[in-house]
Amino acid sequence: MTLSFDLLLGFALFALVTSITPGPNNTMLLASGVNFGFNRTIAHMLGITCGFFVLVVAVGFGLGAVFQTYPLLYTLLRYVGAAYLLYLAWKIAHSGPVSDSDRGESKPISFLGAAAFQWVNPKAWIMAIGAISTYTPLQGYFTNVIVIAAVFALINLPSVSVWAACGTLLRNVLKDRRWLRVFNWGMAALLVISLYPLLLDSFS
């Protein structure tokens, strides 16, 4: 089976739904849009998309098989990701409005930081494995992996940008420091809640 138009269309819908629905990346982009504005969040968005592209290619070229052979590595990666998510939640909860005087101190997540985060992001792994296992035909496999990763990236970038844009629109509403604090704590709580599937799987 080759990568037909119908299969590509079905995959595009999968990529859109998984990219635009809530998750750690989109929660952090919403918070970054509120606290730093859209322009200062662009590097974060590009880092997510590029890092995820590399992850999909790596899974397609055999990294997923490594984790099947050595499941302890995958478990370790998941817990590193959980610890990093808790750290990011703490940073979001304690961030505040960025004034001209403290622009140099308070910074959004960098391109490299966002790209590296994809490797410890549980949702990103589920998306990548789902894309490769479900939508990548074996005939012309390596070419199909690149096509799948590229299409995912093209859909992912505008999808995640919506969240940063929504956060930017909320900046005026959240100019009051008290409401901004409530918002940031709410976003931090959502990040912590996103760890629930990992904890449920660990203790089941």
Side-chain angles (χ1 to χ4, degrees):
M1 182 175 66
T2 60
L3 192 57
S4 64
F5 176 77
D6 289 341
L7 186 62
L8 195 59
L9 191 61
F11 168 69
L13 182 59
F14 168 83
L16 175 63
V17 171
T18 53
S19 294
I20 206 166
T21 49
N25 281 325
N26 291 334
T27 302
M28 288 188 291
L29 285 173
L30 183 66
S32 184
V34 168
N35 289 284
F36 303 106
F38 189 85
N39 289 339
R40 297 189 70 198
T41 306
I42 289 175
H44 187 169
M45 293 183 285
L46 291 174
I48 289 172
T49 299
C50 292
F52 184 66
F53 172 85
V54 174
L55 177 62
V56 173
V57 171
V59 169
F61 286 179
L63 189 57
V66 173
F67 286 132
Q68 287 181 340
T69 305
Y70 303 102
L72 183 61
L73 288 177
Y74 180 62
T75 302
L76 179 63
L77 187 70
R78 292 171 71 195
Y79 283 108
V80 169
Y84 188 60
L85 271 179
L86 290 174
Y87 166 72
L88 291 174
W90 181 87
K91 285 194 69 175
I92 289 173
H94 291 86
S95 61
V98 182
S99 62
D100 292 334
S101 61
D102 61 10
R103 278 185 183 273
E105 299 177 11
S106 187
K107 296 179 180 179
I109 296 176
S110 67
F111 173 87
L112 290 178
F117 174 66
Q118 304 319 302
W119 292 82
V120 294
N121 180 1
K123 184 182 177 183
W125 277 97
I126 292 170
M127 291 163 62
I129 292 171
I132 296 301
S133 63
T134 307
Y135 295 98
T136 309
L138 291 177
Q139 185 177 342
Y141 179 77
F142 292 105
T143 301
N144 289 334
V145 167
I146 298 297
V147 171
I148 286 291
V151 171
F152 220 143
L154 289 172
I155 293 173
N156 180 263
L157 183 58
S159 298
V160 299
S161 299
V162 169
W163 287 78
C166 289
T168 304
L169 292 174
L170 285 172
R171 292 192 86 187
N172 290 332
V173 179
L174 298 173
K175 280 184 176 178
D176 187 312
R177 188 178 287 266
R178 290 171 299 178
W179 286 111
L180 180 61
R181 188 177 298 115
V182 170
F183 172 83
N184 285 338
W185 276 94
M187 292 299 100
L190 284 177
L191 273 185
V192 174
I193 290 171
S194 72
L195 293 174
Y196 175 73
L198 172 62
L199 296 175
L200 186 65
D201 183 55
S202 299
F203 293 105
S204 60

